[in-house]
Amino acid sequence: MTSEDKDLVKVEYDNGVAWVSFNRPEKRNAMTPKLAGRMLEVLDEVEVREDVGVMVLTGEGTAFSAGMDIKEYFRDMKGKPHIEEIRARRKNWEWQWRRLRYFEKATIAMVNGWCCGGAFLPMASCDLAIAADDAKFVLSEINWGILPAGNVTKAVAANMPARTGIYYAMTGLPFDGKQAAAYGMVNESVPLADLRKRTRELADVLLEKSPAVLKSCKEVFKRTLDHNLGWDISEEYLIAKQEQLWMLAGEERERGFKQFLDDKSYKPGMGMYKRD
Ligand code: COA
């Protein structure tokens, strides 16, 4: 990978947080096959760093991302062997969906501006999302004659009320960060000037938690949801994961018990126990 390719994604490490930014602001961070390759590398790098507890995904400039690069993923693929197209798309879905959705660290999408079409997928794959009030979300596919495919429709259906999601998929009309928060597509929206500060505050709440418990917490939530587990299997699965966690990080709950029941130094309903 050339240094130019590496620059397609910017990574900054700061006190437990990896700030990962799409870095094609002049193209509104439209995602190319090379960017997908770089994101796979970045995810591998961030995931194993012990000094990182939270990864924030955002975009440089005025866009989070304008979605799939229409030239590189669509027009330039015309006439190429089908296998090439499949490989390029597979790499894209690999990072946006399989890797990111079950990433081993907590993830927050920080939606700073335009979030179009294909960009809904990485945004929704993050555990949490915060948008700028004026960020613009648009399922633009219908406006240029394709479907919100590649699991974008699934990401919308899973994170918005059905009537609202189908409305935006069928009309291609935009909605803003405040609306996205009201629909549940993002957790909250704040003025753009406060976006980074608010994201950092949320990351700091997550950094207080035990990394092992946090990882397991997000994983069981998503797998229970994604696999539509029935109540019996879900119960079995959650018990098994809980027991696995006690074996791997049982000291965490012991600390919690002690500080609540013996030391009376905190109340679980009102915050976190001291981890050190
Ligand atoms: N694919 C390829 N190029 C894109 C792109 C995309 N998804 N989104 C933006 N660009 C390019 C533009 O072609 C332009 O290139 P140029 O400078 O060589 O002319 C550059 O990025 C800047 O875009 P521009 O349209 O001038 O920016 P804007 O701020 O006026 O508008 C958007 C922003 C997001 C509204 C507009 O760029 C847009 O509609 N993009 C396409 C969104 C889309 O449908 N994405 C695909 C979803 S799968």
Side-chain angles (χ1 to χ4, degrees):
M1 185 154 283
T2 66
S3 71
E4 211 172 87
D5 295 346
K6 283 199 162 186
D7 289 345
L8 292 170
V9 180
K10 210 169 106 186
V11 190
E12 287 168 66
Y13 294 102
D14 172 28
N15 275 321
V17 178
W19 298 87
V20 174
S21 312
F22 302 125
N23 191 25
R24 292 184 83 211
E26 71 293 350
K27 296 285 183 191
R28 305 300 178 262
N29 300 318
M31 297 177 287
T32 60
K34 280 186 175 163
L35 187 143
R38 180 64 187 137
M39 273 308 302
L40 282 167
E41 283 185 354
V42 167
L43 294 178
D44 283 349
E45 177 186 308
V46 173
E47 197 165 46
V48 296
R49 278 185 68 131
E50 290 192 357
D51 61 338
V52 172
V54 177
M55 183 177 78
V56 174
L57 185 64
T58 188
E60 290 293 309
T62 54
F64 173 73
S65 167
M68 306 277 280
D69 189 291
I70 296 174
K71 179 175 175 301
E72 294 199 24
Y73 269 110
F74 296 91
R75 206 170 61 183
D76 291 358
M77 291 290 175
K78 266 190 172 171
K80 289 208 172 147
H82 190 46
I83 187 71
E84 224 175 281
E85 191 173 339
I86 289 180
R87 281 200 190 115
R89 288 177 198 285
R90 204 176 273 156
K91 211 187 245 186
N92 198 46
W93 298 330
E94 184 65 22
W95 87 260
Q96 293 185 349
W97 164 243
R98 291 187 180 82
R99 290 286 285 116
L100 187 56
R101 188 155 175 82
Y102 292 102
F103 198 64
E104 299 209 353
K105 316 275 186 188
T107 51
I108 305 174
M110 184 173 93
V111 186
N112 49 305
W114 287 103
C115 176
C116 307
F120 275 68
L121 190 58
M123 185 268 296
S125 290
C126 288
D127 308 323
L128 306 174
I130 303 186
D133 288 341
D134 296 332
K136 284 274 181 292
F137 296 77
V138 56
L139 290 164
S140 51
E141 288 89 343
I142 193 103
N143 295 337
W144 55 284
I146 69 160
L147 293 179
N151 260 351
V152 172
T153 292
K154 174 83 178 162
V156 171
N159 287 287
M160 277 175 116
R163 279 274 187 233
T164 312
I166 200 170
Y167 173 86
Y168 287 114
M170 290 176 72
T171 61
L173 289 169
F175 54 98
D176 66 20
K178 285 185 183 170
Q179 288 171 293
Y183 301 146
M185 175 56 86
V186 300
N187 296 95
E188 57 187 283
S189 83
V190 296
L192 180 62
D194 300 333
L195 185 60
R196 187 158 171 133
K197 183 171 142 275
R198 179 64 195 125
T199 305
R200 176 79 231 190
E201 282 169 6
L202 182 57
D204 285 339
V205 172
L206 300 174
L207 287 170
E208 284 182 348
K209 315 295 180 200
S210 149
V213 181
L214 194 61
K215 170 182 170 289
S216 207
C217 179
K218 64 176 265 187
E219 187 190 345
V220 297
F221 193 96
K222 289 181 172 184
R223 291 207 193 279
T224 305
L225 186 73
D226 291 353
H227 300 287
N228 203 12
L229 299 182
W231 285 80
D232 287 339
I233 299 296
S234 174
E235 184 188 37
E236 281 300 312
Y237 167 67
L238 288 166
I239 288 171
K241 291 300 285 186
Q242 181 73 281
E243 287 179 356
Q244 179 192 49
L245 189 61
W246 287 341
M247 280 191 278
L248 294 174
E251 73 287 357
E252 295 288 348
R253 65 171 189 159
E254 296 302 327
R255 262 185 225 130
F257 291 165
K258 180 172 180 303
Q259 291 173 29
F260 178 51
L261 298 175
D262 305 331
D263 307 347
K264 303 209 178 286
S265 57
Y266 97 117
K267 295 175 196 284
M270 294 170 71
M272 185 65 192
Y273 61 87
K274 281 211 169 43
R275 296 202 53 241
D276 296 324

